[in-house]
Structures are given as structure tokens and as C-alpha cells.
Amino acid sequence: MLLAELYFHNGPLLNYLHFSPLSHSPATVFDCSPLPKHHQTAVMGNCCFGGDGGDQSAIGGSSFHPNSNAPNDAVDGFLKSRGYHGLYTEIELSLSASNLRDRDVLSKSDPMAVIYTKGRDGSLQELGRTEVVLNSLSPQWIKKIIITYHFEMVQTLVFRVYDIDTQFHGIEEKMLKLEEQQLLGEGTCLLSEIVTKQNRTLPIDLVRKGESGSSTRPMKLGQLTVHAEECVASKTTTELVFRCMDLENKERFSKSQDPFLVISKCVESAHVVPICKTEVIQNDLNPTWKPVSISISQVGSKETPLVIECFDFNNNGRHELLGKVQKSLTQLENLHSSGQGENLFVPITVGKDHQTKVLKSRLFVDKFSESVHHTFLDYLDNGFEMNFMVAIDFTASNGNPRLPDSLHYIDHSGRPNAYQKAILEIGEVLQCYDSDKKFHAWGFGARPIDGPVSHCFNLNGSSGHSEVEGIQGIMTAYASALFNVTLAGPTLFGPVIAAAAMIASQSLAANEKKYFVLLIITDGVITDLQETKDALVNASDLPLSILIVGVGGADFKEMEILDADKGERLESTTGRVATRDIVQFVPFRDVQGGEISVVQSLLEELPSQFLTFMKNRDINPYTT
């Protein structure tokens, strides 16, 4: 199903978004000019909202909840279903080399660099080529290579440097046949290794083809230096305040509407992708909404057509279209400068013709301002780190670890069980953001040898410290613990969350540049739900995010309460509300073997959670 069908058809996606099928028709299709491929990149997922929250959740059939600042879960869900995940930002790579081998007899080599991305299956996809530098063994290439950085993915890069034969010097670089050139050397690294280095500069040894990443010591054939810069457009954000006048009253039994706006961008083939919404304002035909912020990279460019739709909120989820306009950011800026309003229109059908009806209702832009915001990569560049932690469920419901039907069964063939797979996939991404690679690891719900049931014990068996060395250290400690504890119960999260929160609190007090990520892997629904809520509310003020993976066939619906993506902030027994969402939950079976991985499902929100914490604490990456 195409992106445009979000609005145009009374199908499953429409029902999921709870938009009224009567509100849209095929006339809603706009004549949107196709965008260049490199402009179709989003940054940080959702747009930001000014103020403390909206008056009402706009998307979905949820009931009124005052002062909620609920994420647009329906829009997010749709974007995720179409592959729009996590942090997207464009990175510009600059290359230079030194001490290259000289393959020419009468002159020095004429080097050109080629960059590839490497898939998990080992396949290479070319990203781009530099220009050819004549007669140089230490070239500094001018041409930059653009790559989209995905936080939640392991992005392996392969660099190859070729000596271009003299007979091919007049040919455009992209037309050169690489098999006809001499390979001077090959190097490989992860994109995350580059962006986490100070000054985002990484030296890479060049070796023979196929030897990069080898455990042996291959002969060095020179050195390649890679420098990364975040594209400026990724940091530019536009803040807007929208106002409407003279909205039509379509309520049968009252004299007012509950309006909200949905902002979408036009992409290729006249399709629209929702990127932002306002809060709902009750009983107002002349509403002024709270500020919304849209990054330039979210929409592609200031000239990209945007569709701004005004809906009347209904508790049953069937929101009625009140009118729409189509304007680019540049045109919205002009509206603001002129102080004039733009008339809304609605699609209508006359016979077999699809037409538009211009309304007296008008949209105004009361504020339009642009600013450069600190990004996730800005913090990494200034030495901030993400520290990985893990807590593993050892309750008896997992089954006897020595039997093949157990979730904890370790297959001697090397095939990882669900627990091992989650640790490997999450750890593979996060370890690059932790310089010392010492990870806290706990177990819960088991009885250590000659002891009572513990709901937070050190996985390494130590009574004094919980850290292990690297991802392999976690795997080793996990396998050892299976034979040194007795599986028991019940399933309690509170103690391990409290342990992680204590470490995060101590780090914050010491002004360390650390943000902690706790991965909890469990096979069942927790029995201390309110205690867990209390712990999460208390932890929401700390540099901590919590990822929860549900393994096995249990019904995890109760667990979704902990994930505020559904719109409601967690509340403690004392009535305190979480200052931010720090939990991301996913059942392993929903993503295992599917289009998206556990890693992408869990990690996509981490950068925005990280940035929300830094913003709440007013922590500037360049003044700490």
C-alpha cells in the first residue's frame, strides 16, 4: 500500500489512524513535485512541541486527558510500518591518505577512493567515489561523500583506494571500471566509530583486499583518514505558531469544534507523509495552537510542499476534516511576513469530477523563526557516552535450561537463544558509544547457591561488583549463571531498575558525560507493576533509558503500559507524573524474522530520549 493511502482509502491503515473515511476522497491527491533522493531524509523522527503539553491527544480514539503531551503514536506507527525509524541525519565524509604504495614506474600513483556499505551477508553497495588526484602518495580528496547515519543500525563501511591508469584520466570517475584499475589498499570501519571519535576523525590502516578486519596482522599499505561532518540542514529547525479564523461549525448538538492540525509533507508520486500534529483545542472556532518545531531535514527543503489539514477531534476517533492548505515553509514564512491568512479548502465531488471548495476559514502563521539546535552527534563530539547495562530474567517460567524447549537453552551448535540474540544485537550497536566497554550485568528471579531468591544479583557471581568486560563478558557471565543459580520467581523489575537508577544518579552528581541504557529481557508479565511504575517515574529525571524485550509466547499487553508511546505518562503512587518517556518495549516475536530488527525497534527512540534529558537539564554539549 502506498503512503498516500493513509488518507485516501477506508482500509486498515485508515482505521488504525481513526480518521473518518468521509473526510477524504481521491481529490485529496496533490500535485507535489518529486523531491531529489537526497532530500528525503528525516531527523529525530517527530517534530517538537512548545510548552508543557497539549490539551488533548489528537490522533486515535483516546479519551480526554488534560495537559498530556502525548506522542503522535498513530502517525509514528504508520511511519514505522513503512520503514521510517529512529534518528536519520546526513553525514559528509572527507577522505585523505598517506604513505600509499607507488604502483607507477615513471611517476607516483594517481589515487581515487571508493566507499561502500557492507551488508550482514557481506555484500557491498557503492556509496560514492572521490576525484582522481594525480601523482600523489598522500592525497587529500576534495569531493565529499554523503551518507545517512542511522543510530539504531550497525553500518559497516569499506574503503578502497585505486591507482587510476593514465589511459583513463579523461573519463568521468563514475564511469571508470574498477576491475581495470590497480587496488592500492582496503580498509573498513563502522560509521559509529567515526562519529564517536574526538573531532569525528578516524585513521584506518589500508591492507590487501579481504584482509581488513582480519584478526591477523596484515601488511600495511598506507593509511586512510576519514573525517565526518554533520550536514548543517540537519540542525536547522523552524518554529511555527498556527492560528485559524472562522472555522466551520459542523457539530450537530453544539456550537463549536475541537480543532487540531496535522502537517504532512509531499514526497514522490504525489504521496504525503504525516510528520507533525498540534494539540487539540476544545470548543474554539478561532484557535491558536502552541508552537510546533519542524526540522528542515524532516521536510527535505524549504521548498517542499506541505499539506496542513485541520480536523475536528471526536472521542470515537472519527475526526472530521474542516479544511486544508498546501504551502511550503518558504510560503508559510511569506504568510507570516505579510500577516495575511490563507483560505482553507475541502475536496468535493461533482458528478464524476473531483474539485475543491474554497472556505471562508483562514489559516494564519503568527510566528515563523529558524534556529540551529544541538543534535545527538554534537553531544557525542564533545565526549558524551552511552553506557550499556543488561538485566536477565531467570524465573522458572523460562523452563529448565538443560532442556531444548527452554528459553534459556544454549544450543551447542552455536545458534543463540532469544536472550543471547537480544544481547548481541543491542550490545553490538551500543558498545560503540561506550569507551571502556565495561557493562553492568544483573540477573533477577533466581536463587543463587545456598541463598534466598534474589531480584537483582550480579551476573558475574561477584558479591562486590556487577561489571563485565565487553559483550562477550556478558555472554560468558550469562552462560555461567545458568549453572550456578536455581530458576525461581516471581518477575520483579523494581530492584534492577533501582540499581541502574542508583548508578545513573551517582554519575549525574559527579557531572560525568554519561547516559545509561538498561536492557531488560524477560519472558513474562511483571508482578510488581506499581512498584515498577514508581521506579520509572523516579528514574525519569536521570540520564537513563530502559529497553524491554519480551521473549517467549506470553501475553505482554500489560507491559505496554510501561511504554508511554501509547500516550499516557506514567504516574507513581504519590501522584507524581514521569517527566519524560524513558521506556521502549517490544515483544521479540513481533520483530524476529520480520522486516525490522529488535535493534531498530528498541533503539530508534534513544537519541530523542537522550536529547530530551539534556534539554530538560539545560545541558549544552559545548559548555560542560
Side-chain angles (χ1 to χ4, degrees):
M1 182 174 285
L2 298 174
L3 290 172
E5 292 179 83
L6 167 67
Y7 289 105
F8 308 151
H9 296 284
N10 181 16
L13 281 176
L14 189 61
N15 294 334
Y16 176 66
L17 282 174
H18 302 288
F19 282 126
S20 169
L22 300 178
S23 301
H24 300 83
S25 74
T28 314
V29 179
F30 298 101
D31 182 17
C32 302
S33 301
L35 299 178
K37 290 285 186 182
H38 67 277
H39 281 315
Q40 296 174 36
T41 305
V43 173
M44 296 298 177
N46 304 326
C47 68
C48 307
F49 296 87
D52 294 324
D55 295 311
Q56 197 167 1
S57 175
I59 304 296
S62 58
S63 60
F64 169 72
H65 185 75
N67 299 320
S68 67
N69 190 15
N72 194 340
D73 55 296
V75 170
D76 288 349
F78 175 76
L79 294 179
K80 291 175 184 178
S81 73
R82 286 294 175 264
Y84 290 78
H85 300 279
L87 165 63
Y88 301 78
T89 189
E90 286 187 334
I91 300 291
E92 185 180 78
L93 298 181
S94 302
L95 304 179
S96 62
S98 59
N99 301 318
L100 294 178
R101 296 187 68 185
D102 191 357
R103 291 293 186 92
D104 291 349
V105 177
L106 300 177
S107 64
K108 296 178 181 178
S109 294
D110 305 317
M112 177 187 75
V114 185
I115 305 181
Y116 304 85
T117 56
K118 186 177 183 178
R120 286 187 174 272
D121 60 356
S123 61
L124 298 181
Q125 180 177 349
E126 185 176 324
L127 280 178
R129 303 179 182 188
T130 67
E131 75 280 12
V132 178
V133 176
L134 301 180
N135 299 318
S136 178
L137 301 183
S138 298
Q140 290 187 317
W141 290 283
I142 302 299
K143 184 179 178 182
K144 317 300 181 187
I145 307 298
I146 304 295
I147 181 173
T148 302
Y149 164 68
H150 300 261
F151 168 78
E152 72 278 9
M153 294 172 60
V154 176
Q155 294 174 273
T156 303
L157 302 180
V158 175
F159 304 86
R160 289 178 180 169
V161 179
Y162 290 89
D163 177 22
I164 306 304
D165 195 275
T166 306
Q167 63 177 312
F168 300 110
H169 284 182
I171 300 176
E172 190 178 358
E173 285 83 3
K174 67 179 181 180
M175 301 303 294
L176 292 171
K177 295 181 179 180
L178 298 179
E179 64 271 15
E180 296 177 346
Q181 317 304 324
Q182 283 189 308
L183 180 64
L184 298 178
E186 176 184 275
T188 187
C189 73
L190 302 180
L191 182 56
S192 55
E193 290 182 273
I194 304 172
V195 299
T196 53
K197 285 291 183 183
Q198 185 133 24
N199 300 320
R200 298 180 192 151
T201 301
L202 181 70
I204 303 170
D205 287 337
L206 294 174
V207 297
R208 289 191 180 92
K209 184 177 178 180
E211 291 183 348
S212 56
S214 172
S215 58
T216 60
R217 285 182 171 269
M219 183 176 68
K220 288 178 61 174
L221 303 177
Q223 189 175 76
L224 185 75
T225 300
V226 186
H227 176 71
E229 285 291 339
E230 189 171 9
C231 295
V232 176
S234 299
K235 302 182 183 183
T236 305
T237 300
T238 303
E239 185 176 271
L240 305 101
V241 173
F242 290 107
R243 170 171 59 93
C244 275
M245 286 187 63
D246 301 323
L247 291 176
E248 289 192 1
N249 185 11
K250 296 187 177 183
E251 296 285 353
R252 294 181 180 178
F253 304 108
S254 67
K255 295 183 179 181
S256 194
Q257 309 282 0
D258 302 327
F260 69 94
L261 300 178
V262 173
I263 304 168
S264 306
K265 71 173 179 178
C266 292
V267 294
E268 288 185 348
S269 304
H271 300 142
V272 294
V273 175
I275 59 172
C276 190
K277 72 175 179 67
T278 67
E279 80 280 10
V280 174
I281 296 180
Q282 288 189 306
N283 303 320
D284 199 338
L285 296 177
N286 299 286
T288 300
W289 289 277
K290 292 181 179 180
V292 295
S293 295
I294 305 175
S295 71
I296 298 299
S297 290
Q298 255 185 315
V299 298
S301 77
K302 289 187 68 172
E303 307 306 322
T304 302
L306 299 177
V307 180
I308 304 169
E309 298 171 293
C310 184
F311 291 93
D312 176 28
F313 179 89
N314 287 302
N315 282 326
N316 64 7
R318 295 186 175 276
H319 314 306
E320 188 170 4
L321 180 68
L322 299 177
K324 66 183 74 175
V325 299
Q326 181 178 332
K327 294 287 181 185
S328 67
L329 282 175
T330 297
Q331 292 169 325
L332 291 174
E333 185 176 18
N334 293 336
L335 272 183
H336 171 255
S337 300
S338 68
Q340 298 179 346
E342 178 76 10
N343 288 89
L344 276 63
F345 67 88
V346 292
I348 59 172
T349 302
V350 180
K352 294 184 178 181
D353 296 329
H354 300 299
Q355 302 177 8
T356 59
K357 176 185 177 182
V358 178
L359 309 174
K360 68 175 183 178
S361 309
R362 289 179 293 164
L363 176 77
F364 293 82
V365 182
D366 286 351
K367 179 181 180 180
F368 186 102
S369 62
E370 293 180 327
S371 59
V372 176
H373 286 232
H374 296 305
T375 67
F376 179 67
L377 294 182
D378 287 334
Y379 287 92
L380 294 184
D381 190 40
N382 199 40
F384 283 80
E385 296 188 352
M386 282 192 164
N387 293 78
F388 182 44
M389 306 166 157
V390 65
I392 299 174
D393 184 339
F394 283 86
T395 54
S397 55
N398 282 281
N400 187 339
R402 292 169 175 79
L403 299 178
D405 61 351
S406 169
L407 292 170
H408 279 309
Y409 180 72
I410 295 181
D411 194 328
H412 297 297
S413 69
R415 177 180 169 184
N417 62 34
Y419 284 91
Q420 291 173 312
K421 187 174 177 62
I423 293 169
L424 288 170
E425 290 197 9
I426 302 294
E428 183 181 34
V429 172
L430 291 180
Q431 66 178 344
C432 294
Y433 301 89
D434 189 336
S435 60
D436 66 8
K437 294 180 173 49
K438 293 182 179 178
F439 308 131
H440 294 277
W442 299 287
F444 60 92
R447 182 180 293 106
I449 297 175
D450 300 325
V453 173
S454 173
H455 300 291
C456 184
F457 58 89
N458 296 334
L459 204 60
N460 59 13
S462 169
S463 59
H465 66 91
S466 58
E467 285 186 323
V468 298
E469 296 279 351
I471 301 302
Q472 190 54 49
I474 298 176
M475 300 293 282
T476 301
Y478 164 63
S480 177
L482 286 174
F483 297 96
N484 291 312
V485 301
T486 302
L487 274 57
T491 304
L492 307 180
F493 282 3
V496 292
I497 293 175
M502 177 64 71
I503 293 171
S505 178
Q506 292 170 348
S507 175
L508 181 63
N511 291 318
E512 294 179 333
K513 296 180 178 181
K514 293 184 177 180
Y515 190 90
F516 296 85
V517 181
L518 171 63
L519 170 64
I520 300 176
I521 315 173
T522 182
D523 83 316
V525 178
I526 54 177
T527 55
D528 63 337
L529 182 59
Q530 190 55 55
E531 290 81 357
T532 298
K533 286 184 178 181
D534 292 344
L536 292 173
V537 170
N538 291 333
S540 65
D541 286 328
L542 298 173
L544 175 67
S545 287
I546 298 173
L547 314 175
I548 305 175
V549 173
V551 298
D555 183 357
F556 291 108
K557 283 189 176 179
E558 249 185 81
M559 303 284 283
E560 294 177 2
I561 297 172
L562 304 178
D563 189 340
D565 279 353
K566 301 305 177 185
E568 299 256 349
R569 291 280 179 88
L570 295 177
E571 188 173 321
S572 70
T573 50
T574 61
R576 182 187 170 200
V577 177
T579 57
R580 62 192 181 95
D581 173 24
I582 66 170
V583 177
Q584 183 75 352
F585 168 75
V586 62
F588 194 78
R589 61 176 178 268
D590 285 0
V591 291
Q592 189 176 24
E595 292 182 2
I596 58 176
S597 71
V598 169
V599 173
Q600 290 171 298
S601 300
L602 283 172
L603 299 184
E604 59 197 15
E605 289 189 10
L606 271 184
S608 60
Q609 290 179 2
F610 174 97
L611 288 171
T612 300
F613 172 79
M614 297 300 168
K615 182 179 179 182
N616 290 350
R617 287 276 175 171
D618 197 25
I619 299 175
N620 186 312
Y622 300 113
T623 59
T624 55

